[in-house]
């Protein structure tokens, strides 16, 4: 009969770790008096319990008064002072039904009192009625919740005794420190050091080899100490830092550890990640020597845990290899955390943090997503752009040059466009392989990507049915060919703009936006320059023909001049595109 009840209590407790108990119906905490808020109790009580008498007889009523600084929730019981783990004794009567309510713990009706809402209060008064089978000594206990993560458990109140019974010697007290589910918390005096990384510590740093004291360094270290591991974590965050051990590179079924900033205090807790949902915070911590520091926008925390924790089924053994996640995000003043605003840092392989010390980095973008972005940049920044310029402006320049039986400009254009089709097709498949299907969190990016892919396939198919040069439908084909290609290029640029800021490939802001704007301006500027030059050449040829003076020599000179100018512009344009491409590829490699 005990096991099912315990299982139910665990389920409700884990569920309550997310939503809390704003209505005060906390019967699940009758035994432990610990609210399932996923953090450790405070150690020094701010609230006191007073009574209007020190003796009682069965049937007597004692006034109990809980007071102190503003608090949201409370839970009051009376227990056998010599056996504080025993069930609640006696029953209560309310003095204010608007702010307090009666609860039944165990088999004793009305044996506890709790709040009715989160409305702040400074004091609560109730009446305790002594039962006929009361123990010799009774002590009042209270759990007080100031905020979601700031609470005290089993604050000791006065001990009342039956007449003629000696007071217990020594006096019995149930202090918050004695009932705490974690060890005392201390303060870190200075930033962590990376000097022992790879020598005595297993370290993860992002960016690679960064200094933990810098304002942009995410740092996580593990140092083995006999049967335990000492863990340090720091990074630029005003909300929370978290890391997790995982059997794969996906969230779900992971062993997580969170350091959350709440009102300039850091609470360290363990949690379990169930798929892509809010972490289920544990009501009990298996962590020791907890310490923290907040300075200059950097959050630091450290703690120690045993390599093996058989009593905690959700905690992984640390002498096994795992993927390691490192995430950061925002948190409310009450300690509730929001979803990380960018992709977590994930190691590129399985690592055993208790094995050989290493100093590694990680990536915030999976390799398949990096490859997806890199191939798309190659296709739509280099091959397409150069292919369009060649087809638009180099027909007259390379009209007398041939390659494999075809005009040179056409062969170059076709080769570049077919390369674009191949790169886009390969890149298009990679996100589906990574996600295992369609992504619901990528906004318009996948929809536009599908449109670009469709146009990319349609364009060469349409080119395969190109009419002959002098056919009546050739003008119609030219218009469709140009409009389809232009639409694809515009959509591709928009899709890349959207993709650069997705969590899976979050390139540095605002650099990525400026660089993409620069590339668009570079391409449009080159296009406009060549259009102006072509127009000037045509006008010059018309003037020469009107004058009828040295027509052949002048036309030849104009053509030579135009050919040289276009070749210079094309060379500069290709070099510029390569610069943009290299910049984007470097940025992708660094995320």
């Amino acid at each position: 009969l005990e096991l099912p009840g315990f299982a139910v209590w665990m389920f409700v407790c884990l569920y309550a770790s997310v939503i809390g108990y704003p209505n005060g119906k906390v019967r699940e905490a009758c035994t432990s008096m610990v609210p399932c808020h996923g953090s450790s109790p405070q150690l020094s009580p701010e609230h006191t319990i007073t009574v209007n008498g020190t003796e009682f007889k069965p049937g007597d009523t004692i006034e109990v008064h809980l007071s102190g600084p503003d608090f949201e929730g409370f839970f009051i019981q009376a227990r056998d002072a010599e056996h504080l783990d025993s069930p609640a004794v006696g029953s209560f009567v309310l003095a204010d039904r608007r702010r307090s309510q009666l609860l039944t713990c165990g088999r004793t009706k009305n044996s506890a009192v709790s709040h009715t809402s989160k409305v702040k209060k400074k004091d609560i008064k109730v009446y305790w009625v002594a039962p006929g089978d009361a123990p010799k000594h009774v002590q009042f206990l209270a759990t007080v919740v100031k905020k979601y993560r700031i609470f005290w458990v089993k604050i000791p109140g006065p001990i009342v005794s039956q007449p003629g019974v000696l007071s217990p010697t020594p006096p019995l007290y149930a202090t918050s420190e004695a009932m705490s589910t974690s060890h005392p918390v201390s303060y870190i005096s200075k930033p962590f050091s990376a000097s022992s990384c790879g020598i005595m510590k297993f370290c993860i740093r992002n960016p690679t080899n960064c200094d933990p004291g810098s304002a942009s360094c995410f740092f996580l270290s593990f140092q083995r100490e006999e049967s335990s591991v000492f863990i340090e974590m720091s990074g630029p965050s005003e909300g929370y830092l978290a890391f997790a051990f995982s059997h794969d590179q996906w969230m779900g079924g992971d062993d997580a550890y969170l350091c959350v900033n709440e009102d300039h205090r850091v609470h360290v807790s363990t949690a379990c990640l169930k798929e892509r949902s809010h972490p289920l915070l544990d009501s009990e911590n298996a962590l020791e020597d907890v310490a923290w520091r907040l300075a200059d926008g950097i959050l630091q925390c450290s703690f120690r845990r045993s390599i093996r924790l058989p009593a905690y089924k959700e905690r992984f053994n640390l002498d096994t290899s795992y993927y390691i996640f490192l995430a950061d995000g925002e948190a409310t003043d009450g300690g509730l955390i929001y979803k990380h605003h960018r992709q977590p840092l994930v190691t590129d392989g399985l690592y055993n943090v208790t094995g050989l010390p290493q100093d590694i980095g990680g990536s915030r973008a999976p390799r398949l997503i990096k490859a997806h972005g890199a191939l798309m940049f190659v296709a739509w920044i280099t091959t397409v752009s150069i292919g369009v310029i060649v087809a638009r402006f180099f027909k007259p320049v390379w009209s007398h040059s041939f390659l494999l039986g075809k005009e040179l400009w056409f062969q170059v254009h076709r080769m570049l466009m077919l390369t674009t089709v191949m790169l886009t097709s390969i890149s298009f498949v990679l996100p589906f392989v990574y996600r295992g299907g369609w992504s619901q969190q990528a906004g318009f990016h996948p929809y536009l990507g599908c449109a670009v892919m469709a146009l990319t396939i349609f364009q060469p198919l349409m080119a395969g049915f190109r009419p002959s040069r002098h056919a009546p439908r050739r003008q119609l084909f030219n218009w469709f060919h140009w409009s389809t290609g232009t639409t694809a290029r515009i959509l591709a640029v928009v899709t890349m703009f959207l993709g650069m800021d997705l969590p899976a490939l979050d390139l540095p802001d605002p650099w990525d936006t400026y660089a993409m704007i620069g590339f668009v301006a570079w391409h449009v500027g080159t296009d406009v320059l060549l259009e102006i030059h072509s127009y000037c050449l045509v006008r010059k040829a018309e003037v020469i023909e009107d004058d009828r003076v040295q027509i052949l020599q002048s036309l030849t000179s104009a053509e030579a001049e135009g050919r040289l100018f276009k070749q210079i512009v094309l060379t500069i344009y290709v070099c510029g595109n390569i610069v943009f491409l290299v910049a984007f590829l470097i940025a992708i490699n660094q995320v």
Side-chain angles (χ1 to χ4, degrees):
L1 295 176
E2 292 292 325
L3 186 58
F6 176 76
V8 170
W9 180 86
M10 284 295 294
F11 170 78
V12 177
C13 189
L14 289 174
Y15 178 71
S17 68
V18 178
I19 63 172
Y21 294 106
N23 61 5
K25 296 186 182 298
V26 293
R27 281 188 292 269
E28 291 76 15
C30 278
T31 302
S32 66
M33 297 188 71
V34 178
C36 297
H37 291 187
S39 58
S40 303
Q42 306 299 304
L43 301 181
S44 300
E46 298 179 352
H47 304 78
T48 57
I49 305 172
T50 57
V51 294
N52 65 344
T54 59
E55 291 186 350
F56 71 90
K57 293 181 294 184
D60 283 355
T61 298
I62 293 180
E63 180 181 301
V64 182
H65 191 248
L66 172 66
S67 62
D70 285 350
F71 56 95
E72 295 179 353
F74 65 91
F75 189 48
I76 301 174
Q77 285 185 358
R79 295 190 178 185
D80 184 343
E82 296 180 293
H83 303 284
L84 289 175
D85 292 332
S86 61
V89 297
S91 59
F92 288 91
V93 177
L94 301 180
D96 185 349
R97 295 183 178 273
R98 293 174 303 171
R99 300 193 301 164
S100 58
Q101 62 183 328
L102 297 172
L103 298 177
T104 296
C105 286
R107 298 181 179 179
T108 306
K109 188 176 181 179
N110 302 334
S111 55
V113 185
S114 72
H115 54 283
T116 57
S117 70
K118 292 175 60 178
V119 175
K120 294 186 183 298
K121 47 196 81 72
K122 290 183 179 293
D123 56 25
I124 286 291
K125 183 171 69 173
V126 294
Y127 299 99
W128 179 72
V129 180
D133 57 349
K136 297 178 181 178
H137 309 285
V138 173
Q139 184 168 25
F140 296 98
L141 305 175
T143 290
V144 177
V145 178
K146 183 177 181 180
K147 287 186 177 181
Y148 184 78
R149 289 185 181 274
I150 302 180
F151 57 88
W152 294 263
V153 174
K154 292 185 178 178
I155 298 174
I159 296 177
V160 294
S161 305
Q162 296 195 41
V165 177
L166 296 176
S167 297
T169 304
L172 301 179
Y173 296 100
T175 65
S176 291
E177 184 172 358
M179 300 304 299
S180 174
T181 57
S182 70
H183 296 261
V185 177
S186 60
Y187 187 75
I188 301 170
S189 60
K190 60 183 180 179
F192 298 136
S193 172
S195 59
S196 299
C197 289
I199 303 172
M200 299 178 63
K201 297 178 180 178
F202 183 100
C203 298
I204 301 173
R205 292 192 271 177
N206 180 253
T208 304
N209 297 325
C210 64
D211 179 7
S214 69
S216 60
C217 182
F218 288 91
F219 177 78
L220 178 63
S221 72
F222 304 86
Q223 184 170 356
R224 180 164 185 168
E225 300 174 345
E226 296 182 354
S227 61
S228 65
V229 177
F230 185 69
I231 301 170
E232 298 173 325
M233 179 167 57
S234 68
S237 177
E238 297 291 341
Y240 72 90
L241 292 175
F243 77 90
F245 297 108
S246 178
H247 296 291
D248 51 39
Q249 292 184 303
W250 293 92
M251 285 182 60
D254 306 328
D255 178 12
Y257 301 80
L258 296 88
C259 298
V260 184
N261 176 11
E262 180 189 345
D263 291 336
H264 305 289
R265 294 172 58 89
V266 176
H267 293 274
V268 181
S269 60
T270 55
C272 179
L273 300 180
K274 300 292 186 182
E275 298 181 350
R276 301 173 66 87
S277 60
H278 195 282
L280 300 176
L281 303 178
D282 297 329
S283 59
E284 294 187 12
N285 265 337
L287 310 180
E288 303 175 356
D289 299 334
V290 175
W292 60 271
R293 180 175 184 255
L294 280 171
D296 303 322
I298 298 177
L299 188 155
Q300 294 175 253
C301 62
S302 63
F303 54 88
R304 180 177 285 102
R305 64 147 283 187
S306 298
I307 294 177
R308 290 178 173 268
L309 293 168
Y312 299 85
K313 295 182 179 180
E314 302 292 348
R315 304 280 74 80
F316 293 179
N317 294 330
L318 298 187
D319 52 2
T320 307
S321 295
Y322 305 101
Y323 289 99
I324 303 171
F325 291 66
L326 179 59
D328 66 293
E330 298 178 354
T332 65
D333 289 339
L336 293 175
I337 66 173
Y338 294 105
K339 179 182 177 181
H340 43 80
H341 59 277
R342 58 177 172 173
Q343 189 85 351
L345 182 76
V346 184
T347 57
D348 57 4
L350 296 164
Y351 291 94
N352 183 347
V353 298
T354 60
L356 185 68
Q358 298 185 57
D359 188 5
I360 64 172
S363 175
R364 294 189 182 273
R367 289 180 178 178
L368 289 177
I369 300 300
K370 283 186 174 183
H372 167 75
L375 292 176
M376 285 299 188
F377 279 124
V378 171
W380 296 94
I381 286 183
T382 53
T383 57
V384 160
S385 302
I386 297 171
V388 168
I389 292 290
V390 167
R392 178 70 182 87
F393 299 105
F394 281 79
K395 285 183 183 179
V397 175
W398 293 343
S399 59
H400 301 295
S401 301
F402 294 87
L403 178 66
L404 300 177
K406 296 285 186 179
E407 292 176 332
L408 178 61
W409 74 266
F410 177 76
Q411 293 286 49
V412 172
H413 172 74
R414 181 165 64 177
M415 177 190 68
L416 291 172
M417 291 309 177
L418 290 176
T419 302
T420 299
V421 174
M422 180 185 68
L423 294 176
T424 303
S425 300
I426 296 172
S427 178
F428 178 78
V429 174
L430 297 180
F432 291 97
V433 174
Y434 170 69
R435 293 287 183 188
W438 186 266
S439 174
Q440 300 293 337
Q441 282 124 26
F444 289 106
H445 179 78
Y447 297 97
L448 293 176
C450 289
V452 171
M453 186 70 250
L455 293 173
T456 302
I457 296 297
F458 178 69
Q459 186 77 328
L461 291 177
M462 181 171 57
F465 295 94
R466 179 179 67 254
S468 62
R469 182 170 298 179
H470 302 292
R473 292 178 297 174
R474 182 59 181 254
Q475 288 298 324
L476 184 62
F477 165 80
N478 288 342
W479 188 88
F480 272 111
H481 191 61
W482 174 86
S483 60
T484 302
T486 302
T487 302
R489 289 164 59 208
I490 292 173
L491 288 179
V493 169
V494 174
T495 306
M496 287 191 290
F497 263 112
L498 296 176
M500 291 187 302
D501 289 326
L502 289 176
L505 186 67
D506 190 10
L507 298 184
D509 288 322
W511 174 92
D512 56 347
T513 302
Y514 294 152
M516 184 57 74
I517 292 174
F519 163 70
V520 173
W522 173 255
H523 177 76
V524 172
T526 302
D527 206 321
V528 170
L529 177 63
L530 289 173
E531 286 285 1
I532 293 173
H533 176 259
S534 297
Y535 175 79
C536 292
L537 275 183
V538 171
R539 292 294 301 162
K540 186 174 182 179
E542 290 175 353
V543 170
I544 291 174
E545 185 160 348
D546 288 343
D547 291 343
R548 304 285 181 179
V549 178
Q550 295 181 339
I551 297 176
L552 294 177
Q553 294 87 340
S554 299
L555 282 174
T556 303
S557 174
E559 288 177 0
E561 178 186 340
R563 184 182 297 110
L564 178 62
F565 179 82
K566 287 182 179 179
Q567 289 175 343
I568 293 174
V569 171
L570 180 62
T571 302
I572 296 174
Y573 177 74
V574 170
C575 292
N577 281 28
I578 292 174
V579 170
F580 278 108
L581 177 62
V582 170
F584 279 115
L585 294 181
I586 291 174
I588 289 174
N589 185 59
Q590 290 180 344
V591 295

